[in-house]
Every structure is written in structure tokens, then in C-alpha cells.
Amino acid sequence: MRQGNPGRGRSHVHLVTQAQRSRSDDINFRQRRYLLMMGIRAVCFVIAVVMFVNHLGWLVVIPVLGAIFIPYFAVVFANGGREPSNTRGFMEYQPNLPATRDPVGPPENGHRPPRPGRNDN
């Protein structure tokens, strides 16, 4: 049996629910999200061309705006860094304290003694 300092030689242990996803998984996730957004941009561009050819007027502006602004958001999201992996959000600290004692004491025969008040003379 090995004895010694219990803290030495032990690495910091993470709960499975709090561990970050691996670097390669994170990169794959960001690449898939970027490609999805670029696919949506291509669809917006095609819809804009079809609408322009069919002379639909000012309605062409809607898919054109999508085709213009989606690349900005796609790049920002792709380069934003690692995503937080904890989906549970903020965890409130709840200490494990023993129950507090009642200052009046336990009831005797099912009745508590009256608490002293202002009118006690």
C-alpha cells in the first residue's frame, strides 16, 4: 500500500459534463457552421438573381442583403474561438452545511414554550 501526501502525483480531474470538447472537434464544428452559412449565402444569391430576372422590383433587396451580410457573420463565428462546452450555465454554489439549531429548543410534549415579548412583565 502506498502512503504519502494524498495530493501529490494526482492530476486535476474534470467532470465529464464540464470538460471542453477536443480541439479537432471544435474546429470541425466551426467549419461545418461556416460552410452551412456560406451555403445559405449561395442560395440567397441564386434567389436574388432569379428574382431580378423576373423583374420583381424591390423584393430583390431582401436576398441581396442576406448574400452581402452573411459572410461577415460566418467569418466572425468561425474565428470566434472555442465555444463554451458547459451547457448547464451558471452553477450556484450550495455548501453542504449541517442543519442549524432552533434557539428555542425542541418542543416538550408537543408544545413550544411562548417566546418572550414586549408585554411580559
Side-chain angles (χ1 to χ4, degrees), residues 87-106:
T87 57
R88 293 184 298 179
F90 178 74
M91 293 173 42
E92 179 182 347
Y93 174 70
Q94 297 177 351
N96 188 11
L97 299 176
T100 58
R101 257 186 62 199
D102 188 8
V104 176

Side-chain angles (χ1 to χ4, degrees), residues 25-106:
D25 286 344
D26 184 56
I27 290 171
N28 288 336
F29 172 76
R30 290 189 283 145
Q31 285 176 343
R32 283 192 307 269
R33 184 171 53 187
Y34 178 81
L35 291 174
L36 176 68
M37 292 180 83
M38 287 294 106
I40 293 170
R41 178 194 185 220
V43 169
C44 285
F45 183 75
V46 169
I47 290 172
V49 169
V50 169
M51 289 175 76
F52 182 75
V53 169
N54 290 324
H55 305 288
L56 292 177
W58 65 272
L59 291 176
V60 176
V61 173
I62 297 170
V64 167
L65 288 176
I68 291 172
F69 288 110
I70 286 177
Y72 170 77
F73 292 108
V75 170
V76 168
F77 291 149
N79 294 330
R82 297 189 76 155
E83 298 295 323
S85 60
N86 189 356
T87 57
R88 293 184 298 179
F90 178 74
M91 293 173 42
E92 179 182 347
Y93 174 70
Q94 297 177 351
N96 188 11
L97 299 176
T100 58
R101 257 186 62 199
D102 188 8
V104 176

